């Protein structure tokens, strides 16, 4: 019987949407197939590459933290990402409700970050260069030497050196090779001016090459006796203190002649600086050569003759020399004049005051006896003086107690910073050792200071809060190649260094385990991924049970 033919329109094929569970089942099966195709070598390569990348990040973060004291990732996130996310801009004007005390504290913090000339700085030729010849290390940084060059130009030159209005009607120019020397008519004869620095010396102070500076100084001396030329040779060419002293005596002779002549012209500001500088360095030469009493007399005469030139801090040179003579009564007299609340402090002032008070009790001090009977009045005064000194500069005790190695002090220091601590301890460690029990008392009491100031960057006890700029400035002043800059308060490791260290260790361990046990680690990887996607599957099932199938179909199509 023939089959019945079907008449009518052909059947239409309608698309039946897949259920969400079927879509999820397909995704899971695809994921499972993908995981099954991965070989153990893939997991080894994946974990090894992750460990390598995180290790490189860790090394870079650690280097950046040691060099700049902060995390690179945190700095980038604060500087660039925070403004994009709507964070507060630190450069915006402060709130009008800021108290006057906070403003004063801010101004004080800025002033304490000023870099000062080290009053006990060494001689470049006779001391710094000899250290370089022996060790092959450069004790001075370029930043420090550049500041010294600026100081010399400030002390030994002035804006009107080329031509002063008072000399405008009686000047002539004598040309020598490539330099122009200003000359002033005195009566009927023409003499090179001692009032104004020679143009060749102005160039010499700006030279970066030491040999070029020395050559320029010799060239200036061929023209005329120039005090500043002798100063430059004494500082940089002389290889011994005796040779430097000889050159400074020649500079003193020329400087006094210029000073007397400039007094008549009433233009002696620069020549006063030259004369004071020469006499102070001569006193330091006497101190280094063992003629301490002569050095003390020279310093006292200098302070009496020029009482207003406090920028040279000659009293700190005097204190060190008096301590060498063990003339503690005169040390106390100098402190009574300069350890005043209205005058700026220094590590020399604070720690010398602490040493004198410790000297009265240190020879009989015993921490065990003090804990049983309590501190006497004199012992309490000594401990308070030590706490005051440590609060001003917390870096000094580690050098005095020889917990940290000393280096040659820089030519400039930052008050309350590591550079000032090195400069103080370099010259005064011997004075603390000479006082019996002083270092023992310091060792027993100095750390107690930090319990009194738990937040030193926010609030101090006897001084303003500790400035936050000291670390940056000290890294510029000190040779960080062979010296680790002391940081206060001690910084904790940034989060990203700890995070990258943990990530590097974890991925390295995974790479090792995958290489040793490939099959077992493959099972663990599949189980981990299944567990990772389990919450997503649960959420999808809940969404499927709640939403209508038609709506779910539209969402899957989207």
């Amino acid at each position: 019987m023939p089959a019945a033919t079907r008449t009518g329109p052909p059947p239409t094929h309608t698309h039946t949407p897949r259920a969400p569970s079927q879509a999820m089942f397909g995704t899971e099966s695809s994921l499972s197939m993908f995981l099954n195709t991965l070989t153990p070598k893939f997991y080894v390569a994946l974990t090894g590459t992750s460990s390598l990348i995180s290790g490189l990040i860790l090394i870079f973060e650690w280097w950046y933290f040691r060099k700049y004291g902060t995390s690179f990732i945190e700095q980038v996130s604060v500087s660039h990402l925070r403004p994009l996310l709507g964070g507060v801009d630190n450069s915006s004007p402060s709130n009008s409700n800021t108290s006057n005390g906070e403003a004063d504290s801010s101004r004080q913090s800025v002033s304490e970050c000023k870099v000062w000339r080290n009053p006990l700085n060494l001689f470049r030729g006779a001391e710094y260069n000899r250290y370089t010849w022996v060790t092959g290390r450069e004790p001075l940084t370029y930043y420090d030497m550049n500041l010294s060059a600026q100081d010399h130009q400030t002390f030994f030159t002035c804006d009107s050196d080329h031509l002063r209005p008072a000399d405008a009607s009686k000047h002539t120019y004598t040309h020598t090779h490539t330099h122009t020397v200003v000359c002033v008519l005195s009566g009927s004869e023409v003499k090179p001016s001692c009032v104004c620095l020679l143009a060749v010396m102005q160039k010499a102070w700006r030279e970066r090459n030491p040999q070029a500076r020395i050559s320029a100084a010799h060239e200036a001396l061929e023209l005329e006796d120039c005090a500043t030329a002798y100063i430059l040779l004494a500082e940089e060419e002389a290889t011994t203190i005796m040779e430097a002293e000889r050159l400074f005596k020649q500079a003193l002779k020329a400087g006094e002649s210029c000073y007397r002549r400039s007094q008549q012209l009433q233009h002696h500001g620069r020549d006063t600086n030259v004369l004071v500088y020469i006499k102070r360095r001569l006193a330091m030469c006497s101190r280094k050569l063992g003629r301490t009493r002569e050095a003390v007399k020279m310093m006292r005469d200098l302070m009496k003759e020029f009482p207003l030139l406090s920028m040279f801090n000659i009293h700190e040179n005097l204190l060190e020399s008096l301590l060498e003579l063990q003339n503690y009564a005169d040390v106390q007299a100098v402190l009574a004049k300069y350890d005043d609340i209205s005058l700026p402090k220094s590590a020399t002032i604070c720690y010398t005051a602490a040493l004198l008070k410790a000297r009265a009790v240190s020879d009989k001090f015993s921490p065990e006896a003090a804990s049983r009977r309590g501190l006497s009045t004199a012992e309490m005064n000594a401990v308070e003086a030590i706490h005051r000194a440590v609060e001003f500069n917390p870096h000094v005790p580690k050098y005095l107690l020889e917990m940290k190695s000393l280096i040659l002090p820089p030519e400039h220091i930052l008050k309350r910073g590591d550079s000032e601590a090195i400069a103080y301890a370099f010259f005064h460690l011997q004075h603390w050792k000479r006082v019996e029990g002083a270092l023992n008392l310091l060792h027993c009491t100095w750390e107690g200071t930090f319990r009194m100031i738990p937040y030193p960057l926010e609030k101090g006890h006897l001084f303003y809060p500790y400035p936050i700029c000291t670390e940056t400035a000290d890294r510029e002043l000190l040779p960080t190649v062979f010296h680790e800059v002391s940081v206060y308060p001690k910084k904790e490791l940034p989060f990203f260094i700890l995070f990258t260290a943990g990530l590097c260790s974890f991925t390295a361990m995974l790479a090792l385990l995958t290489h040793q046990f490939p099959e077992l680690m493959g099972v663990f990887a599949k189980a981990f991924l299944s567990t990772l996607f389990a919450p997503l599957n649960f959420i999808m099932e809940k969404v499927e049970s709640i939403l209508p199938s038609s709506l779910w179909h539209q969402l899957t199509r989207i």
Side-chain angles (χ1 to χ4, degrees), residues 161-274:
D161 271 349
H162 290 289
L163 182 63
R164 286 184 175 149
D167 307 324
S169 61
K170 48 179 182 178
H171 73 275
T172 180
Y173 292 91
T174 304
H175 296 278
T176 63
H177 302 299
T178 58
H179 302 288
T180 301
V181 182
V182 181
C183 298
V184 178
L185 291 175
S186 176
S188 59
E189 52 185 17
V190 179
K191 296 182 180 180
S193 173
C194 290
V195 178
C196 305
L197 285 179
L198 299 172
V200 61
M201 283 307 300
Q202 291 179 338
K203 179 184 176 183
W205 294 123
R206 293 192 294 266
E207 286 285 353
R208 294 185 178 182
N209 188 349
Q211 292 302 320
R213 289 195 297 270
I214 293 173
S215 299
H218 281 294
E219 185 177 351
L221 290 176
E222 291 177 0
L223 301 173
E224 180 74 18
D225 269 358
C226 179
T228 54
Y230 284 120
I231 290 175
L232 193 150
L233 295 178
E235 291 285 354
E236 302 197 22
E237 188 182 41
T239 55
T240 63
I241 300 298
M242 295 183 65
E243 186 179 354
E245 184 182 37
R246 178 183 60 82
L247 289 169
F248 273 120
K249 286 181 178 179
Q250 293 178 275
L252 179 62
K253 183 179 179 180
E256 286 178 338
S257 175
C258 288
Y259 180 72
R260 288 192 297 268
R261 200 171 305 172
S262 63
Q263 278 187 316
Q264 299 174 0
L265 298 174
Q266 297 182 353
H267 291 298
H268 52 81
R270 186 273 320 281
D271 296 296
T272 301
N273 294 340
V274 172

Side-chain angles (χ1 to χ4, degrees), residues 494-512:
F495 165 76
F496 283 103
I497 289 183
L498 300 175
F499 175 76
T500 51
L503 181 62
C504 178
S505 303
F506 177 71
T507 52
M509 183 183 64
L510 284 181
L512 180 63

Side-chain angles (χ1 to χ4, degrees), residues 9-169:
T12 58
H13 299 281
T14 59
H15 175 73
T16 304
R18 291 192 300 170
S21 58
Q22 295 175 347
M24 287 302 300
F25 179 77
T27 303
E28 290 180 5
S29 61
S30 301
L31 179 61
S32 178
M33 290 177 61
F34 173 73
L35 294 176
N36 289 331
T37 58
L38 298 179
T39 62
K41 292 183 179 180
F42 170 79
Y43 293 108
V44 174
L46 177 63
T47 53
T49 304
S50 302
S51 177
L52 176 63
I53 294 175
S54 56
L56 293 176
I57 295 175
L58 172 63
I59 293 173
F60 175 76
E61 276 283 295
W62 178 256
W63 170 82
Y64 196 88
F65 175 72
R66 291 297 299 271
K67 185 173 180 63
Y68 300 104
T70 185
S71 168
F72 175 77
I73 299 177
E74 290 182 3
Q75 185 178 16
V76 170
S77 61
V78 171
S79 303
H80 299 87
L81 299 181
R82 188 177 179 185
L84 295 177
L85 298 177
V88 179
D89 188 3
N90 293 330
S91 62
S92 60
S94 59
N95 196 325
S96 59
N97 295 328
T98 303
S99 63
N100 292 332
E102 292 177 349
D104 293 341
S105 176
S106 176
R107 285 194 295 270
Q108 179 70 12
S109 178
V110 171
S111 65
E112 286 185 342
C113 289
K114 176 184 176 182
V115 175
W116 299 77
R117 181 81 175 177
N118 181 8
L120 296 170
N121 65 304
L122 305 178
F123 293 87
R124 281 198 192 175
E127 292 171 306
Y128 287 121
N129 286 348
R130 294 181 69 180
Y131 175 82
T132 303
W133 297 336
V134 173
T135 64
R137 295 174 172 177
E138 290 290 343
L140 297 176
T141 63
Y142 172 76
Y143 176 71
D144 192 14
M145 292 188 289
N146 188 48
L147 289 176
S148 296
Q150 295 177 18
D151 289 343
H152 293 149
Q153 293 179 59
T154 302
F155 293 157
F156 306 146
T157 64
C158 55
D159 294 337
S160 54
D161 271 349
H162 290 289
L163 182 63
R164 286 184 175 149
D167 307 324
S169 61

